[in-house]
Amino acid sequence: MTPRRPAPAAPRPVSILGVPLDLGAGRRGTDMGPSAVRIAGLHAHLERLGIPWEDLGDLEIPAVETLKVKDPRAKYLPEIVRACRQTRRLVRKSLDDGRTPIVLGGDHSAAVGTISGVADHYRARGETIGLLWVDAHGDMNTPGSSPSGNVHGMPLSCVLGIGPRELTRLGGFSPKVRPGRTVLLGIRDIDGEERAIIAASGVRAFTMSEIDEKGMRTVMEEVIPLLTASTAGFHVSFDVDGIDPDYAPGVGTAVQGGLTYREAHLLAEMCARSGRVTSMEFMEVNPVLDVSNRTGALAMELILSMLGKRIL
Ligand SMILES: [Mn+2]
């Protein structure tokens, strides 16, 4: 006999926002990421799960060919700041309206906008948030340390209060999250100076080696209490390059040795089971480099798992 599960509460509605940003990345293609996740059937699958949704559409982002680089150490910063400001406002409004924001990227620099919006909403209620950052990379460079000047390598530093002022002070407060409530998971490709930055940051970083040794379940049993102790809940900033390129080939900066398909789902399922996910974003899906939209479809599936979809 199957044990009876308590009747679930009415699911919280979600609010989808596309941020087709590619100005923070070294190559084009992530501007099509939001479409790839929608085309994989996101709306229909949400309906099947009984989750009410609204889709705010995509932000308007200028084409890179029409712009000039002003600061080579933080390329296209003014345009990225503009996109992050809009994202912040819309994400905050979704939460104010009682909806769970789901942001579809777009390169990872947009996370500064998303996280500012989430932090802003809870700050108004005197609360703070945790942050789960899934990534192959540290994303903790600064304009001074970055070898490329690509802003998508800097957003985690920015939300922790280090980086270009226009981004760290977005929404008029800094930092957005505390290092002790921030987890970096899946890393395996760290830039020279970034290693020291991560070590000094106070962020709990789970490398792929540690995940190999402990297993994803044990890792997540450590992660969830870190993110939820005296917080309103946690935001998940999921760079799909955290997953192994065998399962997620459509990313700009693929690195071998990432999360397997099932590890990624287990992570999402354990986040859902905690009941404490405030908001989420799936970033860096690059359809130009993808194989039959495999990566877009995987991001879509992970959204469903994060919202509580189960096998049984
Ligand atoms: Mn990233």
Side-chain angles (χ1 to χ4, degrees), residues 7-25:
R12 195 175 149 90
V14 300
S15 188
I16 300 156
L17 172 66
V19 184
L21 188 66
D22 63 358
L23 301 172

Side-chain angles (χ1 to χ4, degrees), residues 107-109 133-139 152-153 155 237-242 253 283-284:
D107 78 65
H108 215 162
S109 57
W133 194 282
V134 183
D135 215 297
H137 311 91
D139 290 1
H152 76 158
S237 192
F238 203 124
D239 187 324
V240 291
D241 75 17
T253 42
M283 311 306 274
E284 300 279 351

Side-chain angles (χ1 to χ4, degrees), residues 56-140:
L56 304 174
D58 289 353
L59 295 187
E60 250 179 69
I61 309 287
V64 69
E65 291 82 2
T66 65
L67 304 172
K68 284 206 174 67
V69 171
K70 287 166 200 107
D71 180 357
R73 301 185 329 148
K75 294 173 189 164
Y76 309 110
L77 183 62
E79 293 80 12
I80 290 169
V81 169
R82 200 169 307 134
C84 284
R85 265 197 210 119
Q86 295 173 21
T87 306
R88 183 190 75 86
R89 190 172 50 78
L90 292 167
V91 164
R92 163 142 195 196
K93 187 174 183 309
S94 296
L95 283 164
D96 290 349
D97 294 346
R99 296 166 177 271
T100 300
I102 301 175
V103 171
L104 310 176
D107 78 65
H108 215 162
S109 57
V112 179
T114 314
I115 294 162
S116 299
V118 179
D120 198 16
H121 167 82
Y122 287 102
R123 186 169 170 266
R125 303 163 24 156
E127 293 180 292
T128 58
I129 56 164
L131 172 61
L132 174 56
W133 194 282
V134 183
D135 215 297
H137 311 91
D139 290 1
M140 284 190 79

Side-chain angles (χ1 to χ4, degrees), residues 47-61:
E47 265 158 38
R48 228 165 285 163
L49 283 180
I51 298 172
W53 57 272
E54 66 170 11
D55 193 329
L56 304 174
D58 289 353
L59 295 187
E60 250 179 69
I61 309 287

Side-chain angles (χ1 to χ4, degrees), residues 252-285:
T253 42
V255 191
Q256 294 298 326
L259 303 178
T260 65
Y261 179 87
R262 273 310 310 164
E263 281 172 335
H265 272 287
L266 179 58
L267 175 148
E269 289 160 7
M270 290 182 76
C271 286
R273 231 179 290 154
S274 78
R276 303 289 299 277
V277 176
T278 58
S279 43
M280 66 188 81
E281 61 196 329
F282 284 81
M283 311 306 274
E284 300 279 351
V285 173

Side-chain angles (χ1 to χ4, degrees), residues 234-250:
F234 62 94
H235 172 76
V236 183
S237 192
F238 203 124
D239 187 324
V240 291
D241 75 17
I243 304 166
D244 194 88
D246 273 2
Y247 310 97

